[in-house]
Amino acid sequence: METPILPMKGDPGDANELYIKREDLLPFSMGGNKVRIAEAYFRDMIEKGCRSMVIYGSRHSNLCRVLSALCASRGVPCRMICSHEEGEASEATNNTVLVEWTGTQMVHCGKQNIAATVESVMGELEREGKAPYYIFGNQYGTGNEGTAAAAYALAYEEILRYEKRQGISFDYIFLPSGTGATQSGLICGKLLAGDQASVMGVMISSREPKRAREVIRQGVASYFEKTGKELPEGYETEICLLDQYRQGGYGAYDERIEACIRETYCRTGVPLDPVYTAKAFWGMKEYLRENRIKGKKVLFLHTGGGPLFYDYLGKKKC
Ligand SMILES: *Cc1c(COP(=O)(O)O)cnc(C)c1O
């Protein structure tokens, strides 16, 4: 389903024309980029002849929420490996509550034990004859980068169609970048179309920036390999990843993000969550201002995260 792209009212005196693509309005499990990505993983699981799904994420994970709902709705057994940062609070979020609703069994682990936990959960399901599929490939989380990227290579065509209909072209596309799957896909879509927009990932994870870039590079390369298309020379230069707006890292935010959430809601009615979309939206505005970028057409990809917006609301007085 095509999601709307709409002009977005910016701050008074904004120097650029802002647009927003509402991936948060995708009609399954409260939407977000993970709806497209979950469908791509599910299809890949079937194609590989697997019959159960092993998913991985933090307690904020929108991917785990959507994938567990997709598995439940299609009668496929699902297990979630839930990782915890050292010293992080481990209370439930709206997303983990919804994962539990689906009957998905949750296995908790620390950031140091991910590979061993993936191996043990996969081994268990194999012994039960359930032919498990791990969404991120091997126990180290590599080998399946191209699958999720494909979803956003395809979504890029929606952006191209909008540009054509409106007779405009975007100079920039900003988005929150976590695992990098969405950004990889957009870069693939851009390369395939020979489009001119710069795809700007605003890092929201605690990942080391060099490694994050490498994961995106692998995502792009593996999509081109999988689809038998020729990878354009110099494609690496398309990977723009901003690491200076992460504040304290994944899930951490201060009053600048909180102000951004309130102001964006009051000005435009668009909800942003502090972990992903508000951080990226704020980072985008900072970047445009710091670099004195003016008169450009800028698209923000609203990647969803609705349940986290409500987590935030639930804890703060308005
Ligand atoms: C997962 C997620 C992202 C990041 O997408 P990646 O493909 O992992 O980089 C951004 N925003 C929201 C709301 C998400 O759930």
Side-chain angles (χ1 to χ4, degrees):
M1 197 190 110
E2 202 154 320
T3 58
I5 295 177
L6 304 161
M8 194 182 188
K9 194 173 155 202
D11 299 338
D14 248 6
N16 299 287
E17 254 177 76
L18 195 56
Y19 295 79
I20 186 166
K21 181 165 174 61
R22 300 290 304 271
E23 296 291 277
D24 58 317
L25 300 180
L26 282 163
F28 184 77
S29 179
M30 284 144 291
N33 61 340
K34 300 308 160 26
V35 176
R36 294 185 199 267
I37 289 174
E39 281 167 357
Y41 282 135
F42 200 89
R43 217 172 302 122
D44 193 48
M45 177 197 74
I46 305 274
E47 278 165 17
K48 291 195 168 124
C50 296
R51 294 187 306 277
S52 63
M53 181 86 87
V54 176
I55 63 182
Y56 165 84
S58 76
R59 64 199 184 95
H60 298 296
S61 176
N62 295 304
L63 177 60
C64 289
R65 180 216 344 129
V66 178
L67 265 172
S68 63
L70 195 57
C71 286
S73 71
R74 310 255 175 102
V76 167
C78 180
R79 300 235 174 126
M80 171 176 174
I81 297 167
C82 184
S83 74
H84 297 268
E85 309 261 350
E86 223 164 300
E88 180 205 38
S90 60
E91 71 209 79
T93 64
N94 283 330
N95 279 336
T96 55
V97 170
L98 291 170
V99 170
E100 281 177 346
W101 273 20
T102 64
T104 296
Q105 193 192 322
M106 223 188 283
V107 182
H108 296 273
C109 76
K111 279 269 173 183
Q112 319 312 325
N113 298 323
I114 300 165
T117 312
V118 171
E119 265 181 17
S120 105
V121 171
M122 291 293 282
E124 207 173 295
L125 286 165
E126 270 155 21
R127 283 191 296 280
E128 290 170 16
K130 288 189 177 139
Y133 172 90
Y134 179 49
I135 55 169
F136 291 138
N138 66 20
Q139 72 268 41
Y140 305 108
T142 60
N144 200 21
E145 291 85 358
T147 301
Y152 272 88
L154 200 62
Y156 201 93
E157 293 176 11
E158 296 181 13
I159 298 173
L160 295 169
R161 282 197 288 275
Y162 178 83
E163 290 180 315
K164 204 163 170 207
R165 278 199 307 272
Q166 302 291 321
I168 64 165
S169 58
F170 294 117
D171 300 290
Y172 294 97
I173 300 170
F174 282 86
L175 76 154
S177 194
T179 67
T182 309
Q183 189 174 357
S184 307
L186 292 175
I187 292 171
C188 292
K190 174 210 158 122
L191 288 169
L192 288 172
D195 197 38
Q196 52 113 41
S198 301
V199 177
M200 310 291 287
V202 183
M203 275 188 87
I204 51 82
S205 75
S206 303
R207 211 175 245 180
E208 208 264 308
K210 232 163 105 186
R211 170 146 184 272
R213 289 182 64 84
E214 175 55 19
V215 171
I216 293 173
R217 194 197 62 71
Q218 275 169 8
V220 174
S222 99
Y223 171 80
F224 273 82
E225 195 188 308
K226 239 180 154 168
T227 52
K229 293 180 173 125
E230 200 182 329
L231 191 54
E233 197 127 344
Y235 72 95
E236 296 97 334
T237 58
E238 301 294 341
I239 304 171
C240 305
L241 201 53
L242 308 175
D243 62 11
Q244 62 270 47
Y245 306 111
R246 294 191 281 180
Q247 303 199 346
Y250 184 69
Y253 58 90
D254 68 10
E255 62 283 356
R256 294 169 294 176
I257 302 293
E258 300 194 71
C260 177
I261 294 173
R262 286 194 304 272
E263 283 161 19
T264 306
Y265 180 77
C266 293
R267 189 162 289 140
T268 68
V270 173
L272 298 174
D273 80 273
V275 182
Y276 298 97
T277 51
K279 202 178 260 184
F281 193 78
W282 171 78
M284 170 185 76
K285 293 209 296 188
E286 289 290 295
Y287 179 86
L288 294 170
R289 189 176 55 76
E290 288 164 9
N291 292 281
R292 301 205 167 88
I293 293 168
K294 292 193 171 83
K296 301 292 185 195
K297 292 191 168 56
V298 178
L299 178 67
F300 181 75
L301 193 78
H302 191 316
T303 47
L308 301 171
F309 171 75
Y310 291 104
D311 277 333
Y312 176 70
L313 274 192
K315 289 186 198 102
K316 303 277 162 182
K317 284 195 267 305
C318 286

